[in-house]
Amino acid sequence: MSGVPQNASKGAAQKTFYLETFGCQMNVHDSEKVVGTLVQEGYRQVETVEHADLVLYNTCSIRDKAEQKVFNRLSDYKKYKAQGKTFGVLGCVAQQEGEKIFERAPYVSLVCGSASYRKLPEMLHQLEDAQLQNSPQSPAIGSIDSNPSNTAKGGAPAPVVVTAAKTRDSGLAARDSLVRITGLDDRETDACFETEFTARTNPHRGYITIIEGCDKFCAYCVVPYTRGKERSRTSASVLAEARQMADLGYTEIQLLGQNVNSYKDSEGNPSKRKTFAELLAAVGEVPGIRRVRFMTSHPRDFGRDIVEAIDAVPALCDHVHLPVQSGSTRMLGAMQRLYTREQYLERIAWMKAAKREISITTDVIVGFPGETESDFAETLGLLEEVGYDAVFAFKYSPRPNTPSLKLEDAIPDAEKARRLDVLMARQREIQSTRYKRYIGTRCEVMVEARNDARGQYIGRTSHNKTLNFTAPQSENPKSGSYAPVVVTGSFPNSLLGELVV
Ligand code: SAM
Ligand code: SF4
């Protein structure tokens, strides 16, 4: 389950794939599951497009820039189509754009949204079969399966295969293997993408998805349209995966979901169902697991029981990412965030009353339609009031299908950029002050790597701060180990220290 597993049984003629991931941790972890699935199907992962038979992009469409990057990458590599490579688009852009991708990038053969990943093996088989039938050696160019009403095992709609003759690109010859296959489940699926073949890239800390999709429909956000409706795994399956990871030597787990605290245990036996806080605590109590993180929390569903769990279970990290988006109740209403500034601050107060100091981080959107100078000033004031340890701030980007698309995007880009700069400059000052407070304190870090050029080790604290530290030559802290470090200096985004020997 770590590194790039290789299925040795397939020999020299093994099919190869290259996978590039754009976007958030959810996408990174989805890619780990896709890699594991493909390897199980006999593919071998390679590091460059040049060496791959199958080229996949796991895409993000959260902001326009992210989406553009995907299409730029596709157009950079279209030259490889002539070499017989197969291109596939996975993830949010795939779900959002659907078959329109075939018009914009005609050399793409596979389009698959995240709600359909569990069908990937089936889709790959159909694609391979269809390409074989479409090859110049094949006696006939057959339509493999173009009936959308056909159903796969378990009653789920089967992926649609469209052969060259049925696409608008009749200009391309059949020998170009222009077979197209789509997995575009609607947002009504109840299934999660669970697989035992996850190819985790880090051998010490790993992700576990506990909930997929989102039902919140914030006015600006594509996620409910691209990732489908909210659906949770059973606590039993999450805990089994956590135990399995612990057995493999993992010591840190991050529970993932667009909205982890709206987790609803889908366990069949109601008496065994766990709330999110109970699941969090249970993962923190798995023998061998030393750190548990979770991402992302929605303020509306953030209960006091989460803070109580952090208080009670030492393995739960003292860090909460609680995106606020705006400090103005008026803007929160327009964004359909379902809480007010006061309610958000109430949750902050719960965290500030915790036994351990909890580090708080957030996301902010500037320039949402209708945001006035005074709304923006309220957001700046909130930064001061909360004292965040990190802020991820974004210029509002109008997204397809979202309710806010109907609102006039009247704030010019230059003004959005100005607000972003002001906000980040203010936050930098706040962080400089906050990080200084750690000087002289002792922190436990998980060692992530060694920076040879700087003669330092890179560590991460429980409150999710980077702590770069030096160690005497006689010591050589290993990646994945835990080490005590005394903080000797600070910067706005990291700490400096020395190993305690
Ligand atoms: N589920 C999380 C929540 O409710 O806070 C956020 C998930 S979203 C993938 C990550 C962040 O992207 C959001 O918190 C928001 O700040 C930002 N974001 C989402 N849609 C955006 C848009 N249309 N324009 C700018 N930023 C956006
Ligand atoms: Fe998007 Fe809102 Fe869902 Fe977060 S809670 S993923 S911002 S719709």
Side-chain angles (χ1 to χ4, degrees):
M1 295 218 315
S2 75
V4 177
Q6 307 297 357
N7 190 333
S9 64
K10 303 289 169 171
Q14 205 174 10
K15 300 160 287 185
T16 52
F17 74 98
Y18 168 85
L19 172 63
E20 185 169 346
T21 307
F22 299 83
C24 63
Q25 287 106 323
M26 291 286 288
N27 269 11
V28 170
H29 185 45
D30 281 348
S31 285
E32 292 179 337
K33 294 193 267 186
V34 167
V35 169
T37 305
L38 288 170
V39 169
Q40 198 54 29
E41 287 299 308
Y43 283 80
R44 180 166 59 86
Q45 188 174 20
V46 293
E47 300 298 328
T48 59
V49 173
E50 287 80 358
H51 293 107
D53 303 318
L54 174 65
V55 179
L56 297 173
Y57 296 105
N58 186 3
T59 60
C60 169
S61 63
I62 198 83
R63 286 169 288 277
D64 186 49
K65 254 193 189 162
E67 195 182 311
Q68 282 316 318
K69 249 194 210 168
V70 174
F71 284 106
N72 291 343
R73 185 71 91 249
L74 275 168
S75 103
D76 285 350
Y77 289 134
K78 75 174 169 215
K79 56 182 185 242
Y80 292 117
K81 180 69 192 171
Q83 297 171 11
K85 296 188 194 303
T86 300
F87 285 82
V89 179
L90 312 179
C92 293
V93 175
Q95 187 66 38
Q96 180 187 290
E97 298 297 308
E99 292 180 10
K100 280 191 266 169
I101 291 179
F102 297 136
E103 288 165 28
R104 223 165 140 179
Y107 40 92
V108 168
S109 294
L110 173 81
V111 169
C112 178
S114 65
S116 301
Y117 287 163
R118 65 193 185 286
K119 294 189 207 151
L120 258 180
E122 185 193 342
M123 293 170 72
L124 286 168
H125 289 154
Q126 284 182 292
L127 189 60
E128 286 166 14
D129 289 350
Q131 284 178 335
L132 265 179
Q133 292 196 32
N134 258 4
S135 76
Q137 288 80 19
S138 173
I141 303 164
S143 164
I144 308 306
D145 175 10
S146 57
N147 178 4
S149 65
N150 189 14
T151 52
K153 271 179 268 161
V160 180
V161 177
V162 186
T163 57
K166 292 189 181 277
T167 69
R168 283 178 223 178
D169 270 305
S170 48
L172 283 175
R175 69 179 160 72
D176 288 332
S177 301
L178 193 65
V179 177
R180 286 154 169 194
I181 184 160
T182 57
L184 299 166
D185 264 334
D186 65 15
R187 59 177 312 279
E188 292 314 313
T189 180
D190 286 322
C192 289
F193 178 36
E194 293 194 39
T195 168
E196 53 186 303
F197 306 116
T198 303
R200 291 195 165 84
T201 45
N202 183 308
H204 312 295
R205 58 186 154 85
Y207 298 121
I208 298 182
T209 303
I210 62 164
I211 178 169
E212 295 185 17
C214 182
D215 284 345
K216 284 282 185 289
F217 291 96
C218 299
Y220 50 81
C221 185
V222 286
V223 169
Y225 310 93
T226 57
R227 286 191 166 269
K229 74 172 183 188
E230 224 165 67
R231 49 210 192 271
S232 300
R233 289 173 62 182
T234 63
S235 52
S237 111
V238 171
L239 283 166
E241 190 167 351
R243 285 188 209 105
Q244 193 193 13
M245 287 173 69
D247 288 345
L248 287 165
Y250 287 83
T251 59
E252 181 175 318
I253 286 177
Q254 183 161 343
L255 302 182
L256 283 185
Q258 288 301 337
N259 189 355
V260 281
N261 41 19
S262 61
Y263 174 79
K264 280 179 205 68
D265 196 348
S266 56
E267 180 63 53
N269 180 347
S271 69
K272 288 194 175 162
R273 283 185 198 151
K274 293 191 188 310
T275 62
F276 171 65
E278 288 167 346
L279 176 63
L280 192 58
V283 175
E285 278 158 0
V286 169
I289 296 302
R290 294 180 60 161
R291 286 185 174 181
V292 182
R293 305 183 185 279
F294 54 99
M295 180 92 88
T296 299
S297 297
H298 189 287
R300 161 94 167 200
D301 302 324
F302 188 88
R304 218 175 189 149
D305 54 352
I306 297 173
V307 181
E308 287 161 2
I310 295 175
D311 274 345
V313 182
L316 303 191
C317 289
D318 38 15
H319 167 229
V320 171
H321 184 66
L322 195 66
V324 66
Q325 314 300 356
S326 170
S328 148
T329 294
R330 196 179 76 83
M331 292 318 295
L332 291 172
M335 290 176 171
Q336 295 167 206
R337 283 292 284 180
L338 311 172
Y339 54 86
T340 62
R341 176 189 175 104
E342 288 65 38
Q343 286 165 334
Y344 181 85
L345 285 171
E346 188 185 20
R347 277 126 185 97
I348 298 294
W350 296 340
M351 287 191 264
K352 290 198 169 168
K355 289 184 196 150
R356 284 186 278 164
E357 185 184 319
I358 296 178
S359 166
I360 306 167
T361 57
T362 201
D363 293 347
V364 170
I365 295 178
V366 296
F368 186 79
E371 185 187 64
T372 62
E373 268 303 324
S374 131
D375 293 315
F376 179 58
E378 286 196 65
T379 302
L380 292 178
L382 189 88
L383 299 189
E384 305 277 354
E385 198 166 339
V386 176
Y388 291 109
D389 278 343
V391 172
F392 302 88
F394 311 100
K395 293 188 281 183
Y396 167 69
S397 167
R399 300 282 61 217
N401 304 318
T402 59
S404 66
L405 205 58
K406 293 196 191 82
L407 306 172
E408 193 193 349
D409 181 24
I411 301 175
D413 193 60
E415 176 57 15
K416 287 181 190 165
R418 185 193 69 81
R419 290 184 193 178
L420 191 67
D421 287 349
V422 169
L423 186 126
M424 291 319 290
R426 188 70 206 94
Q427 178 57 23
R428 212 177 147 79
E429 287 168 19
I430 293 170
Q431 268 175 234
S432 296
T433 311
R434 289 192 61 77
Y435 276 47
K436 267 195 193 116
R437 297 175 315 136
Y438 289 96
I439 296 177
T441 65
R442 188 173 154 147
C443 298
E444 183 183 64
V445 297
M446 185 205 239
V447 182
E448 293 191 335
R450 188 179 148 78
N451 182 335
D452 285 328
R454 291 190 173 179
Q456 288 175 339
Y457 293 88
I458 303 166
R460 185 156 301 272
T461 66
S462 165
H463 34 69
N464 207 29
K465 292 184 175 58
T466 301
L467 203 177
N468 298 309
F469 65 99
T470 51
Q473 274 205 330
S474 55
E475 305 290 323
N476 183 16
K478 296 268 174 300
S479 291
S481 67
Y482 290 81
V485 175
V486 66
V487 179
T488 55
S490 75
F491 303 98
N493 288 305
S494 65
L495 299 169
L496 194 65
E498 286 165 11
L499 182 76
V500 179
V501 283

